[in-house]
Every structure is written in C-alpha cells, then in structure tokens.
Amino acid sequence: MKIGSCGGITRPSFLLVHADLPIFAYHKLQLKPVPPLGIPIDYMKGIGLITKFRCSVAERTFTFSSEDSFASKINNVRLGQKKGRSSSLYTHPSLLDMKNMKVANRARVYDLLRSIGIVPDELDGLELPVTVDVMRERVDFLHQLGLAIEDINNYPLVLGCSVKKNMIPVLDYLGKLGVRKSSFTDFLRRYPQVLHASVVVDLAPVVKYLQGMDIKPNDIPRVLERYPEVLGFKLEGTMSTSVAYLVGIGVARREIGGVLTRYPEILGMRVGRVIKPFVEYLESLGIPRLAVARLIEKRPHILGFGLEELIKPNVEALLEINVRKTSVPSVVAQYPEIIGIDLKAKLLSQQSLLHSVIELGPEDFARVVEKMPQVVSLSRVPILKHVDFLKDCGFSLQQVGEMVVGCPQVLALNIDVMKLSFDYFKMEMERPLDDLVTFPAFFTYGLESTIKPRHKRIVKKGLKCSLSWLLNCSDEKFEERMDYETIDMEEMEMPSFDMNTFMEPRSDGSDFDYDEDSEDARV
C-alpha cells in the first residue's frame, strides 16, 4: 500500500496524516490534487468514494468530507469567529472561569465551617482545600486529637495544615521522641503552630540543642510536654542568651540540664526584661548573687514569679508585719516560694490563727516568720494537732507560745517522732520541762543518730550541760567538747540560718561568658 503525503498545513505544530482515498488539499480556497493512493478499484467500489478536503481560513485548518456541505462548513467557521468560540477539539476554562470556580469552592468550605461553629474570618488568603470533603477530613482529624471547636477557633490557621503532609509527620516525630499521646491534646492547645513546622528544618534542630544543654534524652519528652513553645524558638536567640546569663551569675554549668528540665520556661525568658531584673532585685534585698544562683539551681521556677506583680508586693507585706529588713534575705533563701504566693492574705490568716490558739502577739509572729517562713503555708489542722500534743506533754499555753517562737518547727514535725523523743527525754534523760522550753529545737534532732549516743557519752563522762550544748554542734565539734574541762556558755546559742553556708562556692571548670549586649536577640 502506498500512502500519499498531505499538503496545505499552515501551522507547523499541527500535522494530520490520513490514510484515506484520493485526497485534495484545500489551501487559501485553492484545490491542489494529491497523487492518489494505489488502492484496487474493486475495494474502492466496496467502501464508496470518500473525498476529504482540508482548508485554512484565517490561519485555522479544518478537515471535512465530501458528504458535508462545503458552504455550511465555511459559514460555521465564520459564525464561530463572530461568536468568539474556539474551534479547538479541547476547550479550557478561562482565567475568569477558574477564579469564579475557586471562589465558589471556598464559599462552600466556609459554609461547612460555619455550620459546625467555626468562624472562618481569619482564613482569607490562606490556602484551603478545594473540596468540602477534604476540609471535613481535617476537622475530623483535629477532633480525634481532642481539639474542640473552641480550640480550633482560638487558632483557625490550623485548618491550613494538611493531614498527610503536616499533621501526621509532626505527631509521628513527637511520638518517636517519647511525647505521650495522652498529652497531644494539651500540647496542641498550647502550641498549635507546631503543626506548621518541618520536622527536619524546625523541630529536630531544637531537640538537638536541648540535648546539647545536658538535658537527658529521657527527659526531652517531659520538657516538650511542659513547655511545647520551645519548639518555636530560634537557637541563637533567647534560648542561648538566657542560659549564658545564668552561668554568668554563678549557676553551675553542670546544673543547667537539671534546671532546664525542671523549668524549661527559662529558655523563653528575656534576660533584660525578666531574668536580670529578678537577680538584681534580690541582690538589692541583701542576697548575694552567688546565693541567688544557688536558689535558681534548687528552685528554678522562682524565675517565673512576676517581679512587679508578686515579688515586690510580697516583700512589702513582710516588712508590714514587722519582719526586720535584715532578715528578709534569710526568709527568701529559706523559703523562696514566699515571694511567689498571695502572701498578704496568708500572713493575716496565720497571724490571726496563732493569736487565737497560743496568744501569739504581732512581734512574736514576725520572729516566727523570720525563723520558719514556711509557717505561712501551714494549714490550720496540723497547727492545732501540734499545739494539743505539746499541751498534753504538760506545757502551759504560755510555754507552748515560747517554744513556737524559739523553734517554729515544732508546729510541723512528725508528731509520732516527737512523742518518741519526748518519752526518752522524760524517762532516760530525766530533765525538767523547762529545758525543752529553753531549747525546743531538741525535737528536730534524730533520737537514734544524735540524742541517745551523745547523752550516753556525757553521762559516762559525768558532765552536766544544757540541751543546746549537747546537740547544737556537728559530730566533730561534739568530739572536741568531750575533751573540754569546762563548758563554754557562748557555745549554747540557738541555731540560725547561715547564708554563707547556703552559698558555698562550687567548683566548675566550664567557661560560659555572657555578653549583655547580646540579650537583645529576638525569638
């Protein structure tokens, strides 16, 4: 079979090849014969003669057979030109049509959201699913995570996150780190922006940084659960400057991991706005900077106490009830939480209670707070039980008051242990009750570890001494006293809080300089 070539193609990008019977090419309204194909006459009779023409009008090429009306074809072409219709075999929507379709789809998505209580006002300009079904899938997935409509309304931009591309990869990563699934709901309520994050670019570097701060891998999940916002911080921003400043004031470098594990919120604190003013204010009260560092190591959450909202008003409240200004540093060092609670109300409540129970006056109450600031947090029932115990031991109400002022701890010790110590005091030591009134701290010493062995030593040596001389010293000092020929009365003073002992220097070879100018680094 021979195939003839086709002519009359005006567009080089559009080529039609026909294996038809004799073909004529029509170009610019001129007919050009094309050599016929070599096909037997009998075959042609069997299928009939079909003649096709190709014409080009206004740079458009059309093909039609002899069975069609040539004139009607031309008219249709001209009519199509007038109406602006494309004569292409495939029609594409115009940009306007596509825009209208997108608007219509978004309107349907908005209708769905409004029908379930979600306000879509903040979603304008956000890329959303083009179909209602996909949006419903996202909402249902968020519901499965425990988020309510209210939670979604608090951060509606979460609806711009794809379930497969965003949500599932992030949650899988958190799960692999050890974050408990039971905490996902609270995690996302606090920091829904995590669903927009890239695991590789955003999340993994932060986790690596936390591990570099000596936070143990097993503690990373707890840190993230407690403070999920940390996943949004820049590594060289607030996180690095806050840690550097703490080390600069004396927080031991080896303690940083534990400090951040217990209170990771430090990583989000501005040095210039939060940490530095806190440190400087405590210094102004008379607490040495190194002591402040020790406080932060032991109670890092105190950095979260609002300076203007809580700390300063609470210090004023202590001064108002006659706590001496020179005693404020020891009060804060002994019980840092006292500057972070609703203190004024507690002070008035406890002062009233102790006055009604043991007739404690305002000045005596101030001395009690100085010696044991935790008294402000004692509940009524334990206080009454301890007072009743002392009264049952034979002490008068006045003596109980003197004992409380001398050693407020008698209101908080284990009563069963106190009973054992008192029985030994009465049966074995055979001392008068006045000795306990003078030295109520007797109840704070271990019966088996301290009281019994020392009492036996002085009995064997034939010494007579006060309870203070017997107990208020270290084991090494007691051994020295056993060599004394006489008893030095100056050594019989009551124990008190020692700030120097509290802030004993720590050996740490790490260097971590802090540049105060760098604290302006932004998250």
Side-chain angles (χ1 to χ4, degrees), residues 195-484:
L195 295 178
H196 293 286
S198 163
V199 171
V200 176
V201 177
D202 303 316
L203 305 185
V206 173
V207 171
K208 185 177 180 181
Y209 178 86
L210 295 177
Q211 292 174 338
M213 289 290 101
D214 295 334
I215 298 178
K216 299 177 181 177
N218 292 339
D219 292 330
I220 293 292
R222 305 294 85 81
V223 170
L224 298 181
E225 289 176 4
R226 180 184 176 99
Y227 193 52
E229 293 89 343
V230 72
L231 289 172
F233 294 152
K234 292 182 179 179
L235 304 184
E236 300 304 323
T238 303
M239 289 200 294
S240 59
T241 55
S242 59
V243 171
Y245 181 81
L246 291 179
V247 174
I249 66 170
V251 175
R253 183 64 181 81
R254 62 174 175 269
E255 299 290 335
I256 287 295
V259 168
L260 297 180
T261 298
R262 282 174 283 150
Y263 196 66
E265 288 86 348
I266 291 175
L267 293 169
M269 291 181 175
R270 306 279 185 171
V271 171
R273 297 179 187 177
V274 180
I275 304 179
K276 187 178 179 182
F278 172 88
V279 172
E280 291 178 347
Y281 180 72
L282 293 190
E283 283 186 288
S284 72
L285 295 178
I287 304 176
R289 176 169 287 203
L290 190 57
V292 176
R294 298 289 88 79
L295 287 175
I296 294 173
E297 288 177 4
K298 297 178 180 179
R299 302 282 193 279
H301 61 274
I302 64 176
L303 286 170
F305 298 158
L307 182 60
E308 300 296 332
E309 301 82 1
L310 285 175
I311 298 176
K312 289 183 178 180
N314 284 348
V315 170
E316 290 299 321
L318 289 172
L319 297 175
E320 288 175 4
I321 66 158
N322 297 318
V323 170
R324 292 167 293 190
K325 190 172 183 179
T326 55
S327 297
V328 171
S330 67
V331 169
V332 175
Q334 291 180 76
Y335 187 49
E337 284 77 6
I338 200 169
I339 59 175
I341 59 179
D342 184 10
L343 183 58
K344 191 168 186 177
K346 287 183 175 293
L347 287 172
L348 295 176
S349 175
Q350 295 301 75
Q351 184 176 14
S352 175
L353 173 62
L354 293 177
H355 175 71
S356 64
V357 173
I358 55 176
E359 300 179 356
L360 205 65
E363 288 293 331
D364 286 337
F365 178 71
R367 303 293 84 77
V368 168
V369 173
E370 289 176 1
K371 293 178 180 178
M372 192 184 78
Q374 294 88 342
V375 71
V376 301
S377 297
L378 291 180
S379 61
R380 179 184 180 87
V381 173
I383 290 177
L384 295 178
K385 285 184 177 180
H386 285 78
V387 171
D388 290 340
F389 166 75
L390 294 174
K391 289 167 65 177
D392 291 341
C393 290
F395 298 104
S396 67
L397 193 61
Q398 181 180 353
Q399 288 177 318
V400 172
E402 292 179 17
M403 295 174 72
V404 169
V405 174
C407 182
Q409 286 80 1
V410 296
L411 294 176
L413 296 172
N414 185 298
I415 290 182
D416 293 334
V417 175
M418 291 176 70
K419 187 177 185 306
L420 292 175
S421 296
F422 179 75
D423 289 342
Y424 184 82
F425 172 85
K426 184 178 180 181
M427 303 301 295
E428 300 295 333
M429 301 178 75
E430 297 179 345
R431 287 174 174 265
L433 291 180
D434 286 343
D435 284 3
L436 289 178
V437 176
T438 303
F439 190 72
F442 167 84
F443 290 105
T444 65
Y445 292 91
L447 178 60
E448 300 296 334
S449 62
T450 305
I451 297 175
K452 283 185 178 182
R454 292 191 182 186
H455 171 66
K456 291 178 180 179
R457 292 282 299 278
I458 64 169
V459 169
K460 185 177 181 180
K461 195 172 179 66
L463 293 176
K464 289 188 178 294
C465 64
S466 68
L467 291 177
S468 176
W469 190 92
L470 175 68
L471 300 173
N472 186 23
C473 62
S474 64
D475 290 337
E476 292 77 10
K477 184 67 175 178
F478 180 75
E479 292 297 331
E480 291 180 12
R481 288 179 178 180
M482 287 296 94
D483 295 331
Y484 291 174

Side-chain angles (χ1 to χ4, degrees), residues 59-341:
E59 296 185 354
R60 285 185 172 83
T61 304
F62 303 92
T63 304
F64 53 91
S65 67
S66 59
E67 297 173 340
D68 297 326
S69 168
F70 177 79
S72 64
K73 278 291 182 181
I74 298 300
N75 290 335
N76 287 340
V77 170
R78 291 173 179 171
L79 184 60
Q81 289 177 342
K82 291 180 180 180
K83 291 184 179 181
R85 294 196 305 265
S86 171
S87 58
S88 172
L89 296 176
Y90 303 97
T91 58
H92 299 283
S94 66
L95 293 178
L96 179 60
D97 292 338
M98 294 173 64
K99 182 178 180 180
N100 292 337
M101 186 182 301
K102 187 175 182 180
V103 170
N105 289 336
R106 180 173 284 266
R108 284 191 288 271
V109 169
Y110 278 15
D111 289 341
L112 167 68
L113 296 177
R114 292 190 184 97
S115 68
I116 59 178
I118 297 175
V119 181
D121 297 350
E122 297 182 29
L123 302 179
D124 292 343
L126 183 69
E127 190 69 27
L128 294 178
V130 296
T131 66
V132 170
D133 291 338
V134 176
M135 177 55 76
R136 185 180 288 108
E137 177 191 8
R138 291 188 184 181
V139 174
D140 291 343
F141 188 80
L142 293 173
H143 283 330
Q144 292 174 12
L145 294 174
L147 299 183
I149 296 298
E150 181 182 359
D151 300 320
I152 298 176
N153 278 328
N154 289 336
Y155 188 73
L157 298 182
V158 72
L159 295 174
C161 297
S162 167
V163 172
K164 295 181 180 179
K165 295 180 180 179
N166 301 108
M167 301 185 192
I168 291 179
V170 167
L171 296 175
D172 283 348
Y173 178 72
L174 295 176
K176 291 177 180 178
L177 287 176
V179 176
R180 296 168 296 180
K181 290 185 178 180
S182 59
S183 70
F184 279 175
T185 301
D186 184 62
F187 194 105
L188 295 176
R189 282 174 180 163
R190 291 185 55 184
Y191 189 59
Q193 295 90 334
V194 71
L195 295 178
H196 293 286
S198 163
V199 171
V200 176
V201 177
D202 303 316
L203 305 185
V206 173
V207 171
K208 185 177 180 181
Y209 178 86
L210 295 177
Q211 292 174 338
M213 289 290 101
D214 295 334
I215 298 178
K216 299 177 181 177
N218 292 339
D219 292 330
I220 293 292
R222 305 294 85 81
V223 170
L224 298 181
E225 289 176 4
R226 180 184 176 99
Y227 193 52
E229 293 89 343
V230 72
L231 289 172
F233 294 152
K234 292 182 179 179
L235 304 184
E236 300 304 323
T238 303
M239 289 200 294
S240 59
T241 55
S242 59
V243 171
Y245 181 81
L246 291 179
V247 174
I249 66 170
V251 175
R253 183 64 181 81
R254 62 174 175 269
E255 299 290 335
I256 287 295
V259 168
L260 297 180
T261 298
R262 282 174 283 150
Y263 196 66
E265 288 86 348
I266 291 175
L267 293 169
M269 291 181 175
R270 306 279 185 171
V271 171
R273 297 179 187 177
V274 180
I275 304 179
K276 187 178 179 182
F278 172 88
V279 172
E280 291 178 347
Y281 180 72
L282 293 190
E283 283 186 288
S284 72
L285 295 178
I287 304 176
R289 176 169 287 203
L290 190 57
V292 176
R294 298 289 88 79
L295 287 175
I296 294 173
E297 288 177 4
K298 297 178 180 179
R299 302 282 193 279
H301 61 274
I302 64 176
L303 286 170
F305 298 158
L307 182 60
E308 300 296 332
E309 301 82 1
L310 285 175
I311 298 176
K312 289 183 178 180
N314 284 348
V315 170
E316 290 299 321
L318 289 172
L319 297 175
E320 288 175 4
I321 66 158
N322 297 318
V323 170
R324 292 167 293 190
K325 190 172 183 179
T326 55
S327 297
V328 171
S330 67
V331 169
V332 175
Q334 291 180 76
Y335 187 49
E337 284 77 6
I338 200 169
I339 59 175
I341 59 179

